[in-house]
Amino acid sequence: MAIQWYPGHMHKASKEMKKILPQVDLIIEVLDARIPFSSQNPMLAELRGDKPCIKVLNKIDLADPELTALWQSHLEQDINVKTLTMNARHNDRIADLIALALSMVPGKVQGVKNVQTMIMGIPNVGKSTLINSLAGRQIAKTGNEPAITKMQQRIKLDKGIVLHDTPGVLWPNLENPHSGYRLAITGAIKETAIDNDDIALYAVEYLLDAYPDLLKQRFGLSEIPESGMDALEVIGTKRGCLRSGGRVDLERVAKIILTEIRAGTLGLISWEKPDIIEREWAEVLVVREQKAAKKAARKQRRQPQR
């Protein structure tokens, strides 16, 4: 699945980020705890450099707690990174986030110099909800549809913290196809850019491998299906997603499965592990090298012969 989704406001936002970053003391990057790697933006990591960064693993009420802890250890291998788990819809860890932010910029004297922070995150990770919790009032527009924030804001918080908000930015081309599926499963990519039954098939195949009991329990399966397509057929039959002739309507059952995954109805599920990402990224690098070699060969062929 090749997803290329880069609205014009995102291109503009990436240029504005580059202008503001020299003034920024600290970056807060909001991630989806279910997909901590796929919800990072490689472009943001490149722009950040060695600036201190808090990675907020949001939506922990939907994620597998064991894998969330594993990801925290993995991310904090970077000496400039600290992590904080949170459900941004609740305000229980806002004070912890403020305290952590202040501790990571000890050079600033509280009350004398403002701490300039920039909050980043791809669409639909809960960034706007977190901003409203930090500010204690409705500032950022929120909603289930990704890519709602389309312009930058500057927000003054308590204790001398100034927060620069940015639109949610996806990268122009998702090199890792698995990340594209995971972003679609969790709702970070608009449904107009994806094929629901393809996404649901990927999700079910993963669940059969990683969380088979949750799938079996939620949909009342008498046994674990042998394949993802078998699972879609069985679930579709149980949920009455049938067309004339008794055929399963894959689009209808796909929407049911994706809706229940995103709502957390199936249980606490994380969609990637650090070791899996390392293997996938090694494959991405091989493909990248192959493309570079082909491009160089084409360029060589176009050069005039002497």
Side-chain angles (χ1 to χ4, degrees):
M1 178 183 65
I3 291 179
Q4 295 190 18
W5 184 54
Y6 204 54
H9 75 272
M10 292 188 177
H11 177 69
K12 179 182 177 183
S14 65
K15 292 174 67 176
E16 291 177 355
M17 285 181 198
K18 292 177 183 177
K19 292 180 183 178
I20 295 174
L21 267 172
Q23 311 164 29
V24 171
D25 303 306
L26 171 72
I27 292 171
I28 300 172
E29 184 176 13
V30 186
L31 307 176
D32 186 325
R34 298 168 293 177
I35 51 170
F37 174 83
S38 295
S39 60
Q40 291 185 104
N41 190 328
M43 182 190 72
L44 302 187
E46 183 179 331
L47 292 175
R48 176 172 67 86
D50 60 357
K51 284 185 183 291
C53 178
I54 299 174
K55 292 185 181 289
V56 176
L57 276 67
N58 191 30
K59 304 189 181 184
I60 57 167
D61 55 316
L62 301 175
D64 183 329
E66 290 186 11
L67 290 187
T68 298
L70 187 64
W71 272 108
Q72 286 187 269
S73 298
H74 178 77
L75 293 169
E76 291 189 3
Q77 290 177 12
D78 184 332
I79 61 172
N80 295 307
V81 170
K82 296 294 182 185
T83 62
L84 188 73
T85 60
M86 172 179 293
N87 179 354
R89 290 177 298 176
H90 304 151
N91 295 336
D92 55 342
R93 301 217 68 187
I94 296 301
D96 295 336
L97 179 56
I98 294 290
L100 182 57
L102 294 173
S103 72
M104 293 183 71
V105 282
K108 293 279 183 173
V109 180
Q110 186 174 331
V112 177
K113 294 182 179 179
N114 288 330
V115 177
Q116 302 292 332
T117 66
M118 177 181 284
I119 189 163
M120 296 177 169
I122 70 166
N124 209 32
V125 291
K127 179 170 65 71
S128 295
T129 301
L130 176 56
I131 289 171
N132 292 335
S133 295
L134 283 166
R137 60 190 188 280
Q138 186 76 20
I139 290 179
K141 186 178 178 182
T142 63
N144 289 328
E145 181 187 357
I148 285 180
T149 305
K150 291 185 170 61
M151 54 190 299
Q152 293 192 355
Q153 305 179 77
R154 185 173 177 274
I155 305 155
K156 184 72 180 293
L157 305 179
D158 293 335
K159 299 189 177 180
I161 294 179
V162 177
L163 189 68
H164 298 265
D165 181 21
T166 59
V169 180
L170 278 170
W171 45 102
N173 182 23
L174 291 165
E175 291 184 277
N176 183 357
H178 297 282
S179 288
Y181 278 108
R182 292 166 189 144
L183 289 163
I185 289 167
T186 55
I189 296 174
K190 289 184 179 180
E191 293 198 355
T192 54
I194 60 176
D195 186 347
N196 277 328
D197 53 354
D198 190 26
I199 304 307
L201 178 60
Y202 182 95
V204 168
E205 287 177 343
Y206 175 83
L207 292 171
L208 286 173
D209 180 60
Y211 300 94
D213 291 337
L214 292 182
L215 194 68
K216 183 179 178 181
Q217 179 179 352
R218 175 58 192 169
F219 293 107
L221 308 180
S222 58
E223 58 185 22
I224 303 297
E226 292 186 2
S227 70
M229 187 55 71
D230 288 343
L232 289 180
E233 294 278 352
V234 172
I235 294 169
T237 300
K238 280 186 165 292
R239 291 295 181 94
C241 301
L242 301 175
R243 292 180 172 179
S244 59
R247 291 182 299 121
V248 171
D249 186 330
L250 292 179
E251 177 67 17
R252 281 179 62 197
V253 69
K255 286 185 176 181
I256 289 172
I257 291 170
L258 293 175
T259 298
E260 297 204 3
I261 286 172
R262 292 166 186 166
T265 310
L266 268 72
L268 303 181
I269 298 170
S270 293
W271 297 90
E272 57 194 14
K273 300 178 183 178
D275 60 333
I276 292 174
I277 293 300
E278 288 177 4
R279 291 198 299 271
E280 292 174 358
W281 199 245
E283 294 171 2
V284 166
L285 295 178
V286 170
V287 172
R288 188 185 290 176
E289 290 174 1
Q290 291 172 344
K291 288 182 178 178
K294 289 180 181 179
K295 183 177 179 180
R298 288 195 301 269
K299 184 177 180 181
Q300 182 68 29
R301 287 194 298 268
R302 286 196 296 267
Q303 290 181 352
Q305 299 296 321
R306 294 185 179 179

